[in-house]
Amino acid sequence: RWLRPWRRGSAGPDMSVTLTITQAGPALAVQDLGRSGWRAQGLTKGGAADPMAIYEGAALLGQSPELAAIEMTGTGGTFTADDDIRIALTGASMTAKIDGDAVVWNASHVLPAGAKLTIGGANSGTYGYLHIGGGIMSDVLLGARASHLSAGLGRPLAAGDAFAIGDDKGRETGLMLPRDGRFDGGVVHVVASMQTEHFTHAERLRFTQTQFIRDPRANRVGVRMDHQGEGFHAEGGLSILSEVIVPGDIQITGDGAPFVLMGECQTAGGYPRIGTVIPSDIPRVAQAAAGAPIMFEFLSLAEAITLEIRHRDMIQALRSQVKQLIRNPRQIRNLLNYQLVGGIVSAWDDPFEKDI
């Protein structure tokens, strides 16, 4: 029903279109790819907890990944627009309906003027994203629209908030992307960090052989990992001085539990770090639902670089992986190879009167 051709209506080319939040979940925020260049001033990059979802939304809408979207933690809300707009839904799979009709996740759709887009709880993963054709035109702060709540930039979104939408130069909707396995935990790759050698070989081996589960105590600053058995400890850990830290660092806190730092972490800290999650695997940690199993695997620097290059190539190839939700027969080159019906029936002939 909602795969009709997209068109702008009464707003016209010179009038802005507005997206309004009529009901908001507990943790909605405007996010983009974050802001770089402020670490020396004590501000980490921040941005979307799952940057891959931002690239996926851009591929589905055929627009720049620099545009801002709405990040939804655990559950979404209800949204309306005063003109037809294009939307894309990526990240953690959530129930979604337009005026009561279910729509597919990891796909693009038309949201007609006045229709209600209702996004419910997550079925898998933690962070879902609502992308708008043209992007969310919230205030630019220090070079980005991303909220960085731990630094006081931006705020959680609430019912009644309304945003102007940028000029949407695209037209296509009804497109989808295949989902990968980053929403259910799994193996997370790490490299050695500044204090890895402070942990004995036996302690590091136990770390890689332990199955962790994502603790419910997690946010955009960091994710605590729970496990059975004794905590992990570094030799001389109490004598380590505070120094620069980065997202992905795995700090071992006082109770021996690993704590994976996320995009809104501080820029300096003194807990010993047993390793650092490679950038392309940070979304796997962020998206893991509470209780999801996670295991860590150490890589050499060369192996990690290879995985990062492969990940960047995958991002570049996203647009080529976009497929139509409903294929137009006129665009199927090998149409004759498809079994469209089980036979051919005339609308006029009576099969019982045919000559034998």
Side-chain angles (χ1 to χ4, degrees):
R1 179 181 174 183
W2 300 117
L3 297 181
R4 72 186 192 185
W6 177 88
R7 64 181 183 278
R8 278 279 164 87
S10 59
D14 299 322
M15 299 178 63
S16 63
V17 180
T18 301
L19 177 76
T20 301
I21 302 174
T22 59
Q23 184 272 327
L28 271 61
V30 174
Q31 294 295 347
D32 55 22
L33 292 175
R35 48 182 62 79
S36 301
W38 297 96
R39 183 174 296 278
Q41 284 73 39
L43 181 65
T44 45
K45 184 177 180 180
D50 182 2
M52 189 65 181
I54 296 292
Y55 288 109
E56 290 169 340
L60 286 167
L61 293 174
Q63 62 187 17
S64 170
E66 300 296 326
L67 297 178
I70 294 179
E71 181 179 87
M72 305 168 288
T73 308
T75 190
T78 304
F79 310 84
T80 61
D82 57 5
D83 201 351
D84 288 6
I85 62 172
R86 298 189 306 145
I87 65 168
L89 305 168
T90 67
S93 177
M94 299 175 169
T95 57
K97 297 180 179 180
I98 296 178
D99 276 351
D101 291 337
V103 293
V104 178
W105 203 264
N106 231 45
S108 62
H109 308 277
V110 175
L111 178 62
K116 288 185 178 181
L117 169 65
T118 303
I119 301 177
N123 301 312
S124 65
T126 299
Y127 296 96
Y129 295 85
L130 168 60
H131 309 260
I132 308 297
I136 299 291
M137 295 289 104
S138 61
D139 293 338
V140 176
L141 303 171
L142 301 180
R145 303 184 194 276
S147 298
H148 195 305
L149 301 182
S150 65
L153 297 176
R155 61 172 176 79
L157 303 182
D161 286 343
F163 297 96
I165 297 171
D167 182 25
D168 185 6
K169 301 182 184 302
R171 290 294 181 269
E172 287 187 286
T173 57
L175 304 176
M176 66 171 295
L177 276 170
R179 288 178 66 78
D180 62 25
R182 69 182 186 272
F183 303 96
D184 303 312
V187 176
V188 173
H189 299 99
V190 302
V191 293
S193 187
M194 300 295 289
Q195 289 89 39
T196 300
E197 295 302 321
H198 286 256
F199 296 84
T200 65
H201 174 74
E203 197 77 337
R204 297 198 302 270
L205 183 62
R206 184 168 68 92
F207 178 75
T208 59
Q209 293 176 342
T210 298
Q211 178 174 289
F212 298 91
I213 61 171
R214 184 187 190 273
D215 193 286
R217 289 168 286 183
N219 54 30
R220 291 176 47 83
V221 174
V223 178
R224 187 181 188 274
M225 294 293 158
D226 198 7
H227 69 284
Q228 297 292 326
E230 296 181 0
F232 298 87
H233 300 283
E235 295 180 344
L238 296 178
S239 64
I240 295 174
L241 300 177
S242 292
E243 58 186 354
V244 63
I245 56 177
V246 297
D249 277 349
I250 307 173
Q251 292 185 324
I252 303 299
T253 53
D255 62 356
F259 200 91
V260 183
L261 300 182
M262 294 285 107
E264 290 189 11
C265 68
Q266 67 275 28
T267 57
Y271 285 118
R273 289 164 287 176
I274 196 169
T276 300
V277 177
I278 65 176
S280 59
D281 272 3
I282 291 179
R284 184 177 295 273
V285 178
Q287 287 288 16
I294 287 178
M295 295 193 71
F296 295 100
E297 178 182 328
F298 275 97
L299 299 179
S300 67
L301 187 57
E303 290 171 327
I305 291 173
T306 298
L307 286 186
E308 288 301 305
I309 293 174
R310 187 181 305 165
H311 179 70
R312 294 181 184 183
D313 290 342
M314 183 172 63
I315 289 174
Q316 294 297 320
L318 277 175
R319 185 60 182 163
S320 66
Q321 296 178 18
V322 170
K323 299 184 183 300
Q324 291 184 329
L325 278 172
I326 297 179
R327 298 188 68 183
N328 184 341
R330 295 180 180 179
Q331 297 176 350
I332 301 177
R333 295 182 181 179
N334 57 339
L335 182 60
L336 295 179
N337 290 337
Y338 286 79
Q339 177 68 14
L340 301 180
V341 293
I344 300 175
V345 179
S346 171
W348 295 276
D349 292 342
D350 184 344
F352 297 104
E353 295 181 355
K354 284 185 176 293
D355 294 332
I356 299 178

